[in-house]
Amino acid sequence: MTQNRRTAVVTGGIGGIGTVICQRLAKDGHQVVATYHPSEEDKLGEWSKAQEALGLEIGLIGGDVSSAEDGARMMSEVEQRFGPVDILVNCAGITRDGTMKRMVAKQWDAVIQTNLNSVFYITKPVWEGMLERGYGRIINISSLNGQRGQFGQANYSAAKAGMHGFTMALAQEGAAKGITVNTVSPGYVKTAMTDAIREDIREAIVGGIPMRRMALPEEIASAVAFLAGDDQAYITGANIPINGGLFMH
Ligand code: CAA
């Protein structure tokens, strides 16, 4: 099957995994738009220069995925400037780790809003268009820790597990309409998020990974590109683990 040039949006598009997903989709010939949080504006100049140096043209639109109103405004701006969205990668996510004993509601709420509720806020504005056009690829970036739970991440594990519930429900709604909805669940990936884990804990985590290393963001991006392809029309509602053998089921 021929690959058409599609319009792709990647939320958290200037982050550790998001940037590399944008690059990969752009290299595959798609028109790509990265969304970023307004607080990241100071990073945009350097980020754009890095993409230009690779010969890649990637659109940028700011907005807060954890807000229903701002998320809808952002996605409407994306469609006005770049046209209908064919591929949506929900990649924006944060951690606010802490044991249950210490976790406060603010940490819980921030992670549920940004990692889980955002998926509804951002998908909703493009869903009807996908149904009307009879085509769509939605890829939700979840986590190993949503599959198996993680000490110190009750908030994050709950949000990431919830994402896959959303995937499975929406996959059923899109199945007869040309829309696939899938989850990709990375394990520990070398990014600023995992750099923030205390060094002794990080070393212990890596020691427990059968492959004895973290994933590279490119290894996540290649699975996303596979699921985003025109020719990958029959995988839907799946959860693809990319964790170096850390969790198998
Ligand atoms: N299982 C069981 N017990 C554990 C444990 C584990 N995995 N980790 C720590 N403990 C125990 C400790 O041994 C310690 O026990 P004692 O009180 O008996 O000595 C107790 O729990 C407290 O541990 P800490 O000293 O670590 O507690 P802390 O309050 O200083 O730190 C924490 C808590 C911030 C949650 C810290 O443990 C931590 O950073 N853990 C790693 C969390 C993690 O994996 N985050 C992933 C971030 S990356 C990401 O999220 C991306 C992705 O998708 C994978």
Side-chain angles (χ1 to χ4, degrees):
M1 193 191 279
T2 17
Q3 291 289 333
N4 292 302
R5 178 175 159 84
R6 301 285 184 181
T7 297
V9 174
V10 182
T11 69
I14 72 166
I17 297 178
T19 296
V20 181
I21 292 174
C22 287
Q23 292 170 345
R24 173 62 195 264
L25 293 176
K27 283 179 194 162
D28 286 356
H30 300 299
Q31 170 176 242
V32 181
V33 184
T35 83
Y36 61 89
H37 190 269
S39 65
E40 296 177 303
E41 237 154 54
D42 55 330
K43 296 185 190 148
L44 296 183
E46 204 181 315
W47 190 89
S48 294
K49 264 190 214 147
Q51 311 321 312
E52 279 159 26
L54 295 170
L56 301 173
E57 202 183 311
I58 297 171
L60 280 165
I61 296 203
D64 180 359
V65 298
S66 73
S67 149
E69 294 73 30
D70 203 44
R73 191 267 318 145
M74 178 176 82
M75 295 312 281
S76 144
E77 207 179 313
V78 167
E79 296 212 313
Q80 275 165 28
R81 279 179 53 192
F82 298 94
V85 174
D86 307 302
I87 301 168
L88 172 63
V89 184
N90 285 305
C91 184
I94 58 168
T95 52
R96 294 288 182 270
D97 293 356
T99 55
M100 190 64 179
K101 203 169 154 188
R102 292 207 183 139
M103 189 177 290
V104 294
K106 201 174 161 194
Q107 281 167 289
W108 174 268
D109 291 345
V111 169
I112 298 295
Q113 275 301 120
T114 304
N115 297 10
L116 179 60
N117 290 344
S118 64
V119 174
F120 173 77
Y121 302 151
I122 299 302
T123 307
K124 173 85 179 156
V126 298
W127 181 249
E128 218 170 296
M130 287 183 176
L131 287 174
E132 279 163 13
R133 294 188 305 280
Y135 186 87
R137 295 283 181 269
I138 297 175
I139 299 137
N140 296 319
I141 308 300
S142 177
S143 165
L144 154 80
N145 293 343
Q147 296 184 285
R148 60 152 202 187
Q150 168 62 39
F151 182 101
Q153 284 198 310
N155 49 3
Y156 187 88
S157 301
K160 293 297 191 178
M163 278 179 105
H164 187 56
F166 175 84
T167 289
M168 292 188 291
L170 213 57
Q172 294 183 34
E173 293 188 27
K177 312 282 182 187
I179 306 170
T180 66
V181 188
N182 289 291
T183 299
V184 168
S185 286
Y188 288 84
V189 184
K190 182 122 194 49
T191 62
M193 189 183 271
T194 52
D195 282 348
I197 304 171
R198 214 172 69 206
E199 199 177 346
D200 56 324
I201 297 176
R202 197 171 62 237
E203 278 170 13
I205 289 170
V206 173
I209 300 172
M211 288 192 189
R212 297 283 187 269
R213 65 170 179 89
M214 290 200 184
L216 299 173
E218 286 76 3
E219 291 168 317
I220 311 307
S222 82
V224 173
F226 167 72
L227 292 169
D230 277 23
D231 54 356
Q232 193 41 263
Y234 206 65
I235 297 180
T236 199
N239 188 358
I240 312 249
I242 311 178
N243 60 38
L246 186 50
F247 179 68
M248 306 177 189
H249 80 142

